[in-house]
Amino acid sequence: MTTLTSPAPAPASTAAAGGRVRRRRGPSVLPRVAWWIISVCLAVLFLYPIWVMLSQVGLDDLAQITDSSKGLSVAQSLGNSVFVSLLATGVTMVASTLAGYAFAKLPYRGSQVAFFVTLVTFMVPFQAVITPLYIVLRDIGLQNNLVGVALVLATFNLPLGIFLMRNSFAAIPSSLEEAAQIDGASALTAMWRVMLPVAVPGLVSTALLSFFAAWNDFFAALILITDQRLYTLPISIGILSADDNFQTDFGLMQTGVAITVLPCVIVYLVLQRYYVAGLLGGALK
């Protein structure tokens, strides 16, 4: 005679766990709606100033700002800004890469103190040292020179660039460098052929931040440049948007700002994924 046995009841903990699992699979409508509302509000908050800026741009303002009758050429100023920005970005990238690699992979006695001193320069305002910089550039013959302005801007972009590149190299496993050195590569060769291709996001982030800082700079070029043929784009826009009575034509100014912002937006959209990865690279080590 066969005896039928009923299955043993599941433990209370297992049933409770199953209940929790089933409850977790339920739709969470309220948080999702809340996130959509927050995202839309933030999008409106950031896009509204752009709409205000573009609404002030007119064809008359565009024709007036490209008029060189006042002795200022926007095209020439645009070329000056491109030259200063690219030179400052190049110097910052080279110096930041070498210094960041040294701080991350070639530690020496006192390297942490040197890195801390480099970061302390973040707290030194540019306006506090403009007079000594002016005197130094005058003594070496780079005052009223676009190269001098680019070197000054690169100097003030170096602390942030070194910080980003140091974190980028520190996030790379040292085994890659050791394997290259076993194959006979020097420290510089290992950095150039092995480490730097992996640290491209950090390098792109350094380049973008340096380029944006140099492109939008107004104060350094205004103080260090006296020849209006060497004015950068922000200075020329500021002069052209002011009339003889020192009144500001905001439509003309917004047109100039739109011209200035457009290259930055294009560059950022092209390199956006590298930029985000570079900023998060050192934080996710």
Side-chain angles (χ1 to χ4, degrees):
M1 181 176 180
T2 305
T3 303
L4 298 177
T5 59
S6 60
S13 59
T14 305
R20 285 195 297 268
V21 171
R22 286 194 294 269
R23 283 195 296 270
R24 288 175 183 172
R25 292 179 180 176
S28 55
V29 178
L30 183 59
R32 186 176 302 176
V33 172
W35 278 114
W36 273 106
I37 293 175
I38 294 174
S39 300
V40 171
C41 292
L42 289 176
V44 172
L45 179 64
F46 285 102
L47 293 177
Y48 179 73
I50 299 178
W51 178 81
V52 172
M53 179 185 68
L54 295 179
S55 64
Q56 302 292 329
V57 177
L59 295 178
D60 295 337
D61 296 326
L62 186 61
Q64 186 176 354
I65 202 171
T66 55
D67 186 13
S68 59
S69 60
K70 294 184 178 180
L72 288 175
S73 174
V74 173
Q76 187 175 13
S77 300
L78 181 63
N80 296 335
S81 292
V82 171
F83 175 79
V84 170
S85 301
L86 292 180
L87 181 57
T89 302
V91 173
T92 303
M93 289 173 61
V94 173
S96 299
T97 300
L98 297 177
Y101 181 75
F103 282 129
K105 298 299 182 181
L106 302 175
Y108 56 90
R109 192 172 185 179
S111 60
Q112 296 296 329
V113 177
F115 182 67
F116 175 76
V117 172
T118 302
L119 296 183
V120 167
T121 57
F122 274 121
M123 297 182 290
V124 179
F126 176 72
Q127 293 80 4
V129 294
I130 188 60
T131 301
L133 285 174
Y134 183 89
I135 296 174
V136 170
L137 292 179
R138 184 194 60 187
D139 293 341
I140 64 177
L142 290 179
Q143 188 269 330
N144 194 30
N145 193 302
L146 294 177
V147 176
V149 176
L151 293 178
V152 168
L153 295 175
T155 301
F156 279 89
N157 291 328
L158 273 178
L160 180 59
I162 292 175
F163 175 76
L164 292 176
M165 293 307 299
R166 186 257 185 189
N167 289 348
S168 297
F169 283 123
I172 301 175
S174 300
S175 58
L176 295 177
E177 181 187 14
E178 294 171 357
Q181 291 178 352
I182 291 176
D183 293 337
S186 61
L188 185 61
T189 304
M191 185 271 293
W192 176 256
R193 293 183 177 273
V194 178
M195 306 292 285
L196 191 58
V198 184
V200 166
L203 189 64
V204 171
S205 300
T206 302
L208 282 178
L209 293 175
S210 177
F211 179 83
F212 292 157
W215 180 266
N216 297 314
D217 175 75
F218 178 83
F219 186 75
L222 180 65
I223 299 299
L224 301 176
I225 297 295
T226 57
D227 188 354
Q228 68 176 10
R229 295 177 301 176
L230 301 178
Y231 282 164
T232 56
L233 191 58
I235 299 177
S236 297
I237 291 174
I239 295 175
L240 291 173
S241 59
D243 56 16
D244 298 334
N245 297 324
F246 300 100
Q247 298 291 329
T248 301
D249 188 345
F250 290 100
L252 193 63
M253 177 177 289
Q254 293 299 331
T255 303
V257 170
I259 296 175
T260 306
V261 169
L262 186 59
C264 297
V265 173
I266 295 175
V267 172
Y268 175 77
L269 291 178
V270 172
L271 303 175
Q272 178 185 7
R273 61 190 183 98
Y274 297 104
Y275 175 73
V276 176
L279 291 181
L280 297 179
L284 299 178
K285 180 183 176 184

